[in-house]
Structure formats: C-alpha cells, structure tokens
Amino acid sequence: MRMEYTSNSLLLLLAFLLFASAGADNSPDSLCKSLVETKGYVCEEHKVTTKDGYILGVQRIPVGRTNKTTANRPPILLQHGLLVDAATWLLNSPNKSLAFILADNGFDVWLGNNRGTISSRGHTSLSANDPAYWDWTWEQLASEDLPAMYDYIHTQTGQKLYYVGHSLGTLLAFTAFSQEKLVNMTKSAALLGPIAYLGQLSSVFGRTIVTTAEQAYWLGVPEFIPEGLVVGKLLEGVCVLPLIDCNNVLTALGGPNCCIKPSTIDVLFDHTFQSTSTKNFVHLSQMIRAGNIAKYGYGDESENKAHYGQPTPPLYYMTRIPKDIPLFISYGRKDTLSDVNDVQLLLENLKDHEKDKLVVQYIDYYAHFDFIMAENAHRVVYDPLLAFFMTP
C-alpha cells in the first residue's frame, strides 16, 4: 500500500494515520514468513518473557544465505525505533539490508521487537485491550525488554552480544550503559541516528505528533495506535500547519532523505506503523521540554517523591557510560529527529571515552531514515560498521 507523493496532503496524512497498518500481516510469524524466508534465509521465531510479564517476539536468522556455516557465529541484536518493528532491518534487497548483510558475514542475527508491536503483544496476565498493559515508557523498554532479550540470547548462545540500535533503539542502549547495565554482555554497539538528548529536536512534524500524543494521553487513550480514531481526529489538521509538508511523510518526520527508493517505502508501509504506549510519547515530550535525559515525571513534586524519593525525576548521565565499551555512532546533518546539535551534546558527554573505543561517523547528506532504508547505506554505513565490529 503506497501512500508517498500524493497530491492531497490532508488526505495523505489521514490515510497514513488511520490506515497505514491495515495492509500489514498481523500473524505472529509474519516477519519470518514475509520478509526473511521469502529471501531464501532460515528464520526462527522465539518468545522472550520480561520480568514484568510482557511476552516479546524475537526473530533469529541463524545462518546466511551465502554463508551457512554455524560454527563460531557471534550473536548480534538489532533494535528498532519508534512506531516500527524489526521489519526496519529487512526493507531492502538482501545485499542492502543490514540483517541479511550481517547474516552473510558470519553473524547470528537476532531481531528484537518492543512490547506493543505486532510480534510482542502478549503478556502473562494482561490483554493488550487492558489500559494497564500500556502503562510504560521507553524506560521500561530499556530496563525490562532489552535485558530480557540480552539474557535470552546470551543463554542460547553462551556468548557476548554485538548490538545495533536505530533511533529509539539507541536511547535504550545509552540509558542502560549509563547505569553500567548490559555492559558485561556487550562486545560492541553501533548506534545509528542516535536519540539521547531531544531539547533541540528540529522536526516540526515530530514535535506535533508528540504534542498530539500528550492530548490523547490526557483524554485517556493508553495505546498510541496509528489507525486509531481518536489519534486520527487529533492529527487531522496537522498538514495544514505552517512548515509541515505531508506530501512526503518520511521527510516531514525525519528530514529530507537522500537515497530511498519508492519500492522500499512500499515495503515499510506494509509493516508499519506499530503501536506504542501514549505514555511513551509523554515521556519523550518531557525530554524535549527539559533538554535532559531523565526518568518519567509524574507531574508534581509529591508524586515524584513517592516514586523516586525526590521532587524531580532522577537524571540519566551519559558521562557514566563506561569509557572502554566500543561504540560506533553514526549521524546525519539533515536528520531532524536526531538533530546535530543534540548529537554534539551527547558527544561532548563522551569526550573522555577511550579514543580507540569510539568511532563517530558524520554523513553530511543523510536524514533519519537513510540509516535503515537508503540504497547506499550498505556502502556508506554498514561497511564501516562491519569493519568496526571486526576490529580485534
């Protein structure tokens, strides 16, 4: 279902918000069936249960199509961004999609899916129709989902993990590492289109969606679902606002991408957009307003004191990321979600990182979605990423 480049911007946004997910295959094994096995790769479906009861779907590509050796394959976990799922890593042809490239280069590839996405809507006691199911933010994704997937993969393989995150997937790693969690199980990490500080977010569309989600939250809407009637109603006037051009949704959201084919966008829209909690957006909005990285704020000092023992939410300090963990950070000048000024603030926090453990790549012509969808990402980003991972 292709919705890019239509002439009526308002109709585009409404269709995008209300029906973008309608064409997706909602079966539990849809990613293996539709995007992996169809390309000639072996794919396994795994279930991982978090300590707070969420049942996450994780796909595994244990061998490559061109490299089927099973011995000594290091495990690697790929973690997606907001409103998408693990399809993020499978959108292009095998020689241009990171998951397939890694499998063909000898990695044991694991694809994570955050709670609330199609693959991860199970729970030991709650239904996704229960508002309590959606009572979480990215903080729980970092403290519950990510460790559960790490533990499961480590148990299955007996090895330390490599990690790749895009967008929100980078925030989960940054906050975990800043508390020295998962560090001992991480061999190296690559963070693409990094999200840490958001105070200088320059995406007008992104800020508008966050504001709309806050309105939905106060209206009692727990699940931010793109095809939901309430969310659609709240957003139906977005395209008529100044500085927002909905003729190209990806550009409006993440900046002018350089090199994405229309056919790749078609595949994206077949598998997006995925649900998240509305509370998650409220937390992101707090980060935008405060310009820091902190735990969820409960609105007044007494509630914060009840949860944290202090009047304001505790901060996450990026300076506490261990200086010897190998990090590959790639960001783009045209990215309006991972704004270059916010990335510079992050890098300033990492200035004392061991020099041979930190590689920073700056791509002048890349925007947010180029890192996972660009036709040339395999040469521009993934080749240096692989070289970094393979450095002794």
Side-chain angles (χ1 to χ4, degrees):
M1 179 178 63
R2 182 157 179 253
M3 295 185 200
E4 211 72 351
Y5 313 119
T6 65
S7 59
N8 188 317
S9 61
L10 181 56
L11 287 178
L12 170 65
L13 184 68
L14 288 174
F16 170 74
L17 290 168
L18 298 174
F19 304 112
S21 299
D25 178 358
N26 291 343
S27 61
D29 60 353
S30 63
L31 291 183
C32 273
K33 295 294 184 186
S34 63
L35 289 179
V36 181
E37 293 172 0
T38 53
K39 305 287 177 54
Y41 290 80
V42 175
C43 189
E44 302 171 0
E45 291 283 349
H46 292 255
K47 293 296 181 184
V48 176
T49 303
T50 68
K51 288 182 179 178
D52 57 350
Y54 289 82
I55 302 171
L56 312 176
V58 178
Q59 290 79 35
R60 181 188 193 183
I61 308 175
V63 295
R65 185 176 61 174
T66 58
N67 179 351
K68 295 187 179 295
T69 335
T70 56
N72 301 317
R73 281 187 166 260
I76 185 165
L77 173 62
L78 276 57
Q79 198 62 34
H80 61 82
L82 190 64
L83 296 180
V84 292
D85 64 1
T88 288
W89 310 105
L90 307 164
L91 298 172
N92 276 320
S93 58
N95 63 332
K96 295 179 180 179
S97 294
L98 183 57
F100 298 130
I101 290 170
L102 290 168
D104 284 331
N105 277 274
F107 287 86
D108 177 7
V109 179
W110 297 75
L111 306 174
N113 296 276
N114 290 333
R115 61 182 67 183
T117 60
I118 288 172
S119 297
S120 302
R121 291 178 75 85
H123 194 278
T124 53
S125 62
L126 297 172
S127 161
N129 295 321
D130 187 332
Y133 175 94
W134 299 99
D135 187 19
W136 49 266
T137 78
W138 59 260
E139 194 175 344
Q140 283 69 48
L141 303 182
S143 65
E144 301 291 344
D145 290 21
L146 198 58
M149 289 186 281
Y150 255 78
D151 288 341
Y152 183 88
I153 296 167
H154 184 261
T155 299
Q156 292 285 313
T157 64
Q159 300 184 61
K160 287 186 174 183
L161 279 65
Y162 290 88
Y163 180 86
V164 182
H166 175 249
S167 192
L168 187 70
T170 70
L171 178 62
L172 308 188
F174 285 134
T175 52
F177 296 161
S178 72
Q179 300 172 92
E180 298 193 23
K181 295 178 179 177
L182 307 181
V183 173
N184 292 335
M185 281 196 288
T186 302
K187 191 127 182 176
S188 297
L191 298 317
L192 312 179
I195 297 292
Y197 295 98
L198 288 174
Q200 300 177 78
L201 179 80
S202 52
S203 171
V204 179
F205 196 9
R207 284 178 176 268
T208 303
I209 289 177
V210 167
T211 301
T212 301
E214 283 191 295
Q215 294 174 330
Y217 184 73
W218 302 124
L219 287 172
V221 179
E223 176 184 3
F224 191 91
I225 181 169
E227 68 266 32
L229 181 61
V230 174
V231 172
K233 285 292 186 184
L234 287 172
L235 277 166
E236 66 181 13
V238 169
C239 283
V240 299
L241 295 175
L243 304 179
I244 294 181
D245 176 14
C246 292
N247 288 315
N248 188 323
V249 173
L250 297 186
T251 293
L253 186 57
N257 302 286
C258 75
C259 319
I260 300 177
K261 289 173 61 176
S263 58
T264 304
I265 295 170
D266 290 344
V267 179
L268 173 72
F269 282 158
D270 279 344
H271 293 271
T272 52
F273 278 75
Q274 303 284 331
S275 294
T276 188
S277 74
T278 311
K279 185 178 178 181
N280 193 20
F281 274 107
V282 176
H283 196 175
L284 292 169
S285 179
Q286 293 173 356
M287 294 170 62
I288 294 170
R289 285 196 296 268
N292 60 24
I293 309 169
K295 292 182 177 291
Y296 181 79
Y298 284 91
D300 61 53
E301 291 187 0
S302 60
E303 284 198 57
N304 285 329
K305 281 184 177 179
H307 283 87
Y308 307 123
Q310 61 184 62
T312 57
L315 297 175
Y316 292 96
Y317 294 97
M318 298 299 99
T319 53
R320 293 179 181 172
I321 293 174
K323 295 174 176 52
D324 59 349
I325 183 172
L327 300 177
F328 176 93
I329 295 176
S330 184
Y331 69 109
R333 181 176 68 86
K334 296 188 176 181
D335 192 333
T336 58
L337 289 176
S338 178
D339 187 90
V340 290
N341 296 300
D342 283 325
V343 177
Q344 288 303 315
L345 182 56
L346 168 67
L347 295 177
E348 177 65 20
N349 284 195
L350 298 175
K351 65 182 180 182
D352 295 326
H353 210 80
E354 291 183 16
K355 300 306 178 187
D356 62 338
K357 302 294 186 183
L358 176 63
V359 170
V360 178
Q361 180 188 46
Y362 171 71
I363 307 172
D364 186 68
Y365 57 95
Y366 257 35
H368 200 66
F369 296 100
D370 283 313
F371 291 96
I372 53 171
M373 298 171 67
E375 275 290 287
N376 62 358
H378 63 297
R379 294 193 308 271
V380 175
V381 181
Y382 306 157
D383 282 353
L385 183 157
L386 272 168
F388 176 78
F389 279 166
M390 293 176 174
T391 301

